[in-house]
Amino acid sequence: MNLENINTLYEKGIFSSLDIHFGRFISNCGDAPNPEVFLAAALVSNAKKNGHICIDLSDVAGKKLVKSEGKDAVTCPTLDAWLVKLKLSPAIGSPGDYTPLILDDKKRLYLYRYLDYQEKLVDYILLRTGYNPVDVDVTKVKTCLERFFPSNQLSNGQLSNGQLSNDIDWQKTAALASALNPFCVISGGPGTGKTTTIARIMALLIEVHFPSTLRICLAAPTGKAAGRLQESIKMEKEKLDCAGKIKDSIPEEVSTIHRLLKSIPDSPYFRFNENNPLPADVVIIDEASMIDLALMSKLVQALLPHTRLILIGDKNQLSSVEAGSVLGDICDTGNLHGFSLPFCRTAEKITGQRHDCNQNKQSGIFDSIVHLQKSYRFSDDSGINVLSRTINSGDANKSVSLIQNGKFGDIKWQNLPVPHDIIQLLKDIVVNSFDVYLHAKTPDEMFNAFNRFRILCALREGPYGVVSLNRAIEQILADKGLIHPGTIWYPGRPVMITRNDYNLKLFNGDIGIVMPEVSSGNDLRVCFQSPDNVIRKFHPFRLPEHETVYAMTVHKSQGSEFEKIVLILPDSESPVLTRELLYTGITRARKKVEIWGTENIFRFAVSRRIKRSSGLRDALWCG
């Protein structure tokens, strides 16, 4: 192997210029440039960009990266030979060393910073898990649980051994776990009552600790997700069976995690950190599947030793855009674990519910993880519900049958048209779905109508990607006279912020709609709806980076819900096509989903899971 061969990876588009420069920098740290070190460092850089925390050298050793003959061929060294070369580099150390790259005993190579993030998160979780209950009044907990989760509202659930239980209220179990554990994860699909559970947990903790005041912080990864949670908490708290003083103590304000920790502009750091902890007794984070490793690690480092952390999310959803699959790794996605015997005994004593437990299991992280399993939004015979579960199981044959047999009225299959015909096929859907919002008179009416429907895409680029489809939709609406895009800015144009602006308090994922401002001579303003439903208006030229958003990627849709969606898949295989993407896209719909695709591409997506290299799962579950 030589450096010329490795440069072929840049010419072929496999490595970016950043990967090449980083590889060269690390290689040059030794006495002479080393191709094996160069390649390993460039692979680590490339892996981070693709969402991995590290590279597992065992997976790539001996494999061809460029499958050609002669001088263009690039094959990774054999594992043993590669390890010898890497261990001789002064830029590569072992855990505990302070070097740019770290090689652990499982043959995983990390950027130092990302191993540090991982280790600090692991230390935080392991220190707070295992059945070691926090100091609470058990009698009060039992009384409150009986009131907030009356026995006539029991929900059917599935035990980790696959058997059905008719007497387990999983929301009640989640509340109990949150009361007993300083760290708790509550996972559940759409409509399983996660927001309801959050409101009841807050009421439970406040009432159990009353008259002491609990400082509770609520946050979510994006402004959009924060807004939805804030609106839901306001509605749910009014339904609670508790005294007015308890309801009044339940916070309604929800911020983004960046705002909660007080991000320092133009910096990856926060004002609240391990040296300046966040003054909170309880921190509750919604949509936790969207949080990357770096942010999750910085969050836990900023918490006081006694702060209770509760993560809420859907372990089956897409992972974060940035590196890591944190919620999935914490939940050991794909595996269900029962509770330990001590937890089961306590749960039975307090709630009267018998849980599945393994006599051989000692207390561990599984006592801090609860899966909500009954959907209150979808019935058992809902097509969206059945299809999402079938996709999660990886059963491509059954999934295809479900969407093509016409049995369910809430799911529909549409064979993917050729690019030339897509405008014609989209025309009626687009006009019927966007007509109401484009005729709305007030910002509130416009947002309410606009948020009923969305076109979701797997890709950003290409004939079936977001960029191309947004242009097509604009053309359709312009041809019908519904919009008049003489310039980039026109009344009715929806835009999504793609870069945080902390001065304007506009954040990645926030959606605004352009409207004329009557008070200023019909000059155009971009209206944004804040979590408390206040409309904020900005001159178009003040906005940070943004894009048109009639259609959006499935990744960007996380944290959103629409009455109806059209999910458009590409016509060729892509690394982003996974069962998590299909599941996330389909479950954005409350009432109806239409899937445009080809059968072979749909099957390809169902057959693939997101696999991100990380040591987090092993450290938590195999240590």
Side-chain angles (χ1 to χ4, degrees):
M1 177 182 293
N2 57 56
L3 296 181
E4 287 186 7
N5 292 68
I6 296 174
N7 284 331
T8 300
L9 296 171
Y10 174 70
E11 297 165 4
K12 300 282 187 180
I14 297 172
F15 281 165
S16 68
S17 58
L18 176 62
D19 301 333
I20 295 295
H21 284 300
F22 182 72
R24 185 175 294 123
F25 167 75
I26 296 298
S27 175
N28 289 338
C29 289
D31 295 333
N34 185 316
E36 288 81 7
V37 173
F38 186 115
L39 178 61
L43 283 169
V44 171
S45 173
N46 184 263
K48 188 265 177 184
K49 178 181 62 182
N50 290 313
H52 302 284
I53 301 304
C54 58
I55 59 166
D56 189 331
L57 295 175
S58 303
D59 288 342
V60 295
K63 292 186 178 178
K64 282 189 175 183
L65 300 180
V66 175
K67 297 179 180 179
S68 61
E69 302 299 329
K71 68 181 182 67
D72 288 339
V74 178
T75 303
C76 293
T78 60
L79 182 60
D80 290 342
W82 207 355
L83 291 174
V84 169
K85 292 286 188 179
L86 296 183
K87 289 177 180 179
L88 292 174
S89 171
I92 301 175
S94 301
D97 293 338
Y98 189 63
T99 53
L101 294 176
I102 302 293
L103 179 64
D104 73 6
D105 58 359
K106 299 290 182 64
K107 315 299 188 297
R108 290 183 291 232
L109 190 63
Y110 293 83
L111 291 168
Y112 172 87
R113 182 161 47 110
Y114 277 82
L115 180 60
D116 187 55
Y117 288 147
Q118 178 179 290
E119 288 180 335
K120 287 179 176 174
L121 179 58
V122 168
D123 289 346
Y124 174 90
I125 293 174
L126 293 182
L127 187 63
R128 290 161 177 79
T129 53
Y131 189 62
N132 184 23
V134 295
D135 186 18
V136 293
D137 186 327
V138 173
T139 302
K140 275 190 174 182
V141 170
K142 181 176 182 179
T143 301
C144 291
L145 286 175
E146 289 173 351
R147 184 158 21 90
F148 293 137
F149 301 91
S151 57
N152 61 353
Q153 293 183 6
L154 293 179
S155 57
N156 294 335
Q158 187 179 30
L159 303 178
S160 62
N161 62 8
Q163 296 178 345
L164 290 178
S165 166
N166 293 318
D167 60 355
I168 294 180
D169 185 336
W170 289 101
Q171 292 182 11
K172 191 174 188 177
T173 300
L176 175 64
S178 298
L180 296 180
N181 297 309
F183 172 77
C184 186
V185 177
I186 302 170
S187 175
T192 52
K194 294 189 292 292
T195 303
T196 299
T197 306
I198 292 173
R200 293 178 183 180
I201 287 172
M202 287 193 290
L204 168 67
L205 294 176
I206 291 169
E207 190 162 336
V208 166
H209 288 85
F210 195 84
S212 298
T213 301
L214 285 183
R215 298 168 295 179
I216 301 178
C217 294
L218 294 162
T222 67
K224 181 170 48 181
R228 284 189 56 233
L229 179 59
Q230 182 165 309
E231 184 178 347
S232 298
I233 292 295
K234 284 183 178 178
M235 292 189 296
E236 290 296 334
K237 67 185 289 186
E238 297 306 318
K239 305 174 187 176
L240 293 171
D241 181 11
C242 60
K245 58 188 177 185
I246 302 299
K247 289 183 182 180
D248 293 341
S249 299
I250 296 175
E252 295 179 355
E253 182 179 353
V254 184
S255 69
T256 63
I257 299 173
H258 285 78
R259 277 181 277 181
L260 175 69
L261 299 181
K262 297 193 181 299
S263 178
I264 299 173
D266 304 316
S267 159
Y269 304 108
F270 296 93
R271 300 195 187 282
F272 289 120
N273 51 47
E274 57 188 331
N275 297 316
N276 180 35
L278 179 73
D281 301 305
V282 181
V283 172
I284 300 175
I285 306 293
D286 196 19
E287 297 290 353
S289 64
M290 300 168 67
I291 306 175
D292 60 273
L293 175 67
L295 183 57
M296 186 70 82
S297 183
K298 291 173 184 177
L299 170 66
V300 301
Q301 290 176 56
L303 301 182
L304 290 162
H306 76 272
T307 301
R308 191 190 306 261
L309 177 62
I310 302 171
L311 302 178
I312 318 287
D314 186 345
K315 63 182 175 63
N316 294 313
Q317 275 194 188
L318 280 167
S319 300
S320 61
V321 175
E322 300 296 330
S325 181
V326 178
L327 187 67
D329 285 345
I330 293 174
C331 292
D332 195 20
T333 303
N335 298 295
L336 290 175
H337 299 268
F339 301 112
S340 70
L341 183 58
F343 180 90
C344 291
R345 285 174 173 168
T346 301
E348 184 175 354
K349 179 180 178 181
I350 294 176
T351 68
Q353 300 181 152
R354 289 191 176 183
H355 289 81
D356 175 49
C357 87
N358 188 325
Q359 299 279 351
N360 298 320
K361 283 185 178 177
Q362 299 300 313
S363 300
I365 185 175
F366 37 82
D367 282 340
S368 294
I369 297 174
V370 181
H371 302 289
L372 305 180
Q373 297 172 43
K374 178 176 175 59
S375 176
Y376 297 91
R377 180 186 307 161
F378 303 118
S379 62
D380 290 339
D381 59 354
S382 157
I384 294 173
N385 186 30
V386 175
L387 179 60
S388 63
R389 286 191 278 109
T390 305
I391 288 172
N392 268 339
S393 72
D395 190 335
N397 290 332
K398 187 174 180 181
S399 298
V400 169
S401 175
L402 285 171
I403 60 178
Q404 291 186 349
N405 64 19
K407 175 182 176 181
F408 298 102
D410 56 345
I411 55 174
K412 179 181 178 182
W413 174 262
Q414 170 66 56
N415 289 323
L416 189 70
V418 297
H420 182 268
D421 293 338
I422 200 162
I423 289 182
Q424 186 62 37
L425 198 59
L426 273 175
K427 189 175 295 182
D428 288 343
I429 294 174
V430 166
V431 171
N432 292 336
S433 299
F434 288 135
D435 178 77
V436 175
Y437 113 79
L438 289 168
H439 283 98
K441 301 300 182 184
T442 67
D444 285 336
E445 291 175 359
M446 186 168 271
F447 276 105
N448 289 338
F450 181 68
N451 289 329
R452 291 175 191 154
F453 169 77
R454 195 75 84 250
I455 292 174
L456 303 183
C457 306
L459 304 179
R460 177 174 172 76
E461 305 294 341
Y464 303 102
V466 165
V467 175
S468 177
L469 286 170
N470 275 315
R471 285 197 297 262
I473 293 166
E474 279 189 321
Q475 181 180 330
I476 291 169
L477 296 175
D479 289 345
K480 288 292 184 178
L482 292 172
I483 61 172
H484 304 280
T487 64
I488 188 173
W489 294 107
Y490 56 87
R493 181 192 175 203
V495 297
M496 175 184 284
I497 300 300
T498 57
R499 181 179 59 80
N500 294 338
D501 187 316
Y502 295 96
N503 293 321
L504 297 180
K505 295 184 179 179
L506 292 174
F507 299 93
N508 189 1
D510 288 352
I511 290 179
I513 300 176
V514 179
M515 292 191 74
E517 180 67 25
V518 177
S519 62
S520 61
N522 284 332
D523 286 346
L524 296 180
R525 296 290 184 268
V526 187
C527 301
F528 290 85
Q529 195 173 38
S530 66
D532 53 2
N533 291 321
V534 173
I535 300 297
R536 303 168 62 223
K537 300 178 181 181
F538 299 89
H539 192 284
F541 297 115
R542 293 187 65 200
L543 296 189
E545 294 172 19
H546 56 273
E547 60 190 22
T548 303
V549 69
Y550 295 105
M552 64 199 302
T553 62
V554 175
H555 264 101
K556 290 287 189 181
S557 74
Q558 290 186 92
S560 298
E561 292 178 356
F562 312 99
E563 289 184 7
K564 176 183 176 181
I565 65 145
V566 171
L567 174 61
I568 300 181
L569 304 178
D571 59 350
S572 59
E573 294 180 1
S574 167
V576 306
L577 291 172
T578 62
R579 67 184 68 164
E580 289 88 353
L581 181 132
L582 293 178
Y583 171 86
T584 302
I586 288 166
T587 55
R588 297 311 91 201
R590 290 191 296 267
K591 295 183 178 179
K592 188 170 185 180
V593 60
E594 200 168 300
I595 303 169
W596 292 23
T598 62
E599 183 177 324
N600 63 316
I601 295 301
F602 183 85
R603 287 179 177 274
F604 172 79
V606 175
S607 70
R608 299 176 67 249
R609 291 204 76 118
I610 290 176
K611 183 180 179 182
R612 290 187 167 181
S613 295
S614 162
L616 179 60
R617 187 194 304 259
D618 282 356
L620 295 175
W621 293 96
C622 304

